[in-house]
Amino acid sequence: MSDSNEVTARIERWNRRHLLGLQQLDASEVELILDHAAYFKELQSTRVKLEHLNGCVVGNLFFEPSTRTKTSFSLAAKRLSADTIDWTATGSSVSKGETFIDTALTIESMGVDLMVIRHSSPGAPELLSKHLRAGILNAGDGTHEHPTQGLLDIFTIREQLHTLVGKTVTLVGDIKHSRVARSNIWGLKALGANVIVCGPPTLIPPEIERLGVEVAHRFDDVLERSDVINLLRVQFERQRGAFFPSIAEYAHLFGMNRSRLKQCRPDVLVLAPGPINRGVEITPDVADGKHSQILNQVTNGLFVRMACLHLLAQTQIREKGVE
């Protein structure tokens, strides 16, 4: 981990206006976000009021339901002294026929500098980036990516293991519909981790090996090799059709339980992006046990989002200074 002066120097070299996905980032950019998040986590332990985004307006546009991500982004902005506009599609002018882009332009015209967007359509944040002057931060777009969730997962792993190089991270479950899986794969591979994707054949995208991952269809076969097990939620709302016979069978074959935990390494980390389905992806005793990092992920998500907002804001400030 870098010291604060080095991180400050690296922040000054950050030039991205948007964070649309981790596929676009190289290892140094991912590491900068993680180091900056660690800096904010250390500062927040002192309860010092932070002014990094004083005068900045952050708009949260959520076209899909969200609890963790929306609350985390809103709190992250406020912790940095930004003003926030929280918007949801329910009851908005979208229901009256207003277009997606017009809605975003309307919100931007209120003085928004950064816009956090969640949408069911892959590519929606990228589309906005071509029409708005505000910096765009993807909070999840369809089955494409969820970059800050991937980053907070990686931050949590690095915090516990100190490095990703040579570590084996197994992503278990609904890989096909999971934007979290894609962001994790890009970020983990960039930092030197080995990635296994595990699930029923119907929930593993064809040719995913091209991303440099190993594919497994038997969870029990990869337990002993895994330093980290990240249990992905079954995306029932995005599925069209039956991808496995029953929830009970899925839990039997791919659920993390006490018996499987005994087959793992003694220091294995168990992650789950949430919201978790207790008794499906994970049993309550494992979710609440000593190997679980689930609540740490939520905590770390705040600092990761603070880091992302601040980095994008710095680009905005520099560009406005040039105008």
Side-chain angles (χ1 to χ4, degrees):
M1 191 176 298
S2 307
D3 62 40
S4 59
N5 291 332
E6 182 185 345
V7 172
T8 299
R10 289 158 60 201
I11 288 171
E12 293 175 355
R13 295 194 295 271
W14 175 276
N15 60 8
R16 290 191 182 273
R17 299 185 70 248
H18 314 293
L19 180 58
L20 305 177
L22 298 194
Q23 182 178 4
Q24 304 166 338
L25 305 188
D26 60 30
S28 65
E29 291 173 306
V30 174
E31 288 174 344
L32 172 56
I33 295 172
L34 301 181
D35 290 343
H36 201 26
Y39 163 75
F40 279 131
K41 186 169 185 176
E42 183 177 355
L43 280 183
Q44 284 291 280
S45 68
T46 65
R47 297 295 180 179
V48 174
K49 175 68 174 176
L50 304 179
E51 303 287 342
H52 292 65
L53 292 186
N54 189 29
C56 180
V57 181
V58 177
N60 293 314
L61 274 70
F62 279 70
F63 290 81
E64 282 187 327
S66 172
T67 300
R68 289 165 179 76
T69 304
K70 182 181 176 184
T71 302
S72 184
F73 267 115
S74 183
L75 184 56
K78 291 173 181 175
R79 286 281 180 91
L80 295 173
S81 299
D83 295 316
T84 60
I85 298 174
D86 291 327
W87 182 96
T88 56
T90 305
S92 73
S93 294
V94 170
S95 62
K96 303 175 185 178
E98 185 174 67
T99 68
F100 167 60
I101 294 174
D102 282 339
T103 295
L105 287 168
T106 298
I107 299 297
E108 183 186 44
S109 68
M110 299 178 188
V112 167
D113 303 290
L114 300 174
M115 194 167 294
V116 179
I117 173 74
R118 169 170 285 192
H119 201 280
S120 60
S121 297
E126 182 178 5
L127 178 63
L128 282 192
S129 73
K130 297 176 180 178
H131 289 84
L132 274 64
R133 292 172 59 86
I136 305 299
L137 208 162
N138 181 5
D141 60 332
T143 57
H144 175 229
E145 278 214 48
H146 192 349
T148 57
Q149 180 66 53
L151 286 165
L152 74 88
D153 290 349
I154 296 166
F155 180 93
T156 302
I157 296 168
R158 192 184 74 160
E159 187 177 53
Q160 298 297 318
L161 302 183
H162 308 297
T163 183
L164 275 296
V165 176
K167 303 300 183 182
T168 297
V169 179
T170 299
L171 305 173
V172 185
D174 190 354
I175 310 297
K176 182 181 181 69
H177 301 95
S178 176
R179 53 196 176 203
V180 173
R182 285 160 180 78
S183 289
N184 264 276
I185 289 169
W186 293 118
L188 289 166
K189 294 295 294 180
L191 297 189
N194 305 311
V195 180
I196 302 172
V197 295
C198 178
T202 51
L203 291 179
I204 303 290
E207 301 181 343
I208 196 170
E209 293 97 332
R210 291 185 179 183
L211 301 185
V213 303
E214 177 185 342
V215 174
H217 296 304
R218 283 179 48 85
F219 192 15
D220 294 314
D221 290 346
V222 299
L223 292 172
E224 293 183 358
R225 298 166 50 200
S226 302
D227 297 289
V228 180
I229 295 172
N230 197 341
L231 302 159
L232 305 176
R233 184 175 65 87
V234 178
Q235 306 279 312
F236 293 110
E237 71 277 11
R238 295 194 178 93
Q239 296 181 9
R240 299 292 183 269
F243 289 90
F244 45 83
S246 68
I247 293 176
E249 180 163 333
Y250 178 89
H252 174 68
L253 294 175
F254 298 100
M256 191 65 189
N257 52 39
R258 185 181 304 173
S259 175
R260 286 200 166 99
L261 192 59
K262 291 179 180 179
Q263 301 177 54
C264 295
R265 297 179 177 182
D267 56 352
V268 68
L269 303 180
V270 177
L271 280 67
I276 61 173
N277 296 311
R278 289 174 179 256
V280 181
E281 300 96 7
I282 187 170
T283 56
D285 56 330
V286 178
D288 301 326
K290 66 178 183 179
H291 298 276
S292 174
Q293 297 295 314
I294 295 172
L295 293 182
N296 287 339
Q297 288 172 265
V298 177
T299 299
N300 290 334
L302 174 64
F303 305 114
V304 164
R305 288 169 179 128
M306 289 169 68
C308 292
L309 289 170
H310 184 235
L311 287 168
L312 296 188
Q314 295 313 295
T315 305
Q316 291 279 316
I317 291 169
R318 284 196 294 269
E319 289 184 352
K320 290 177 180 178
V322 171
E323 292 177 357

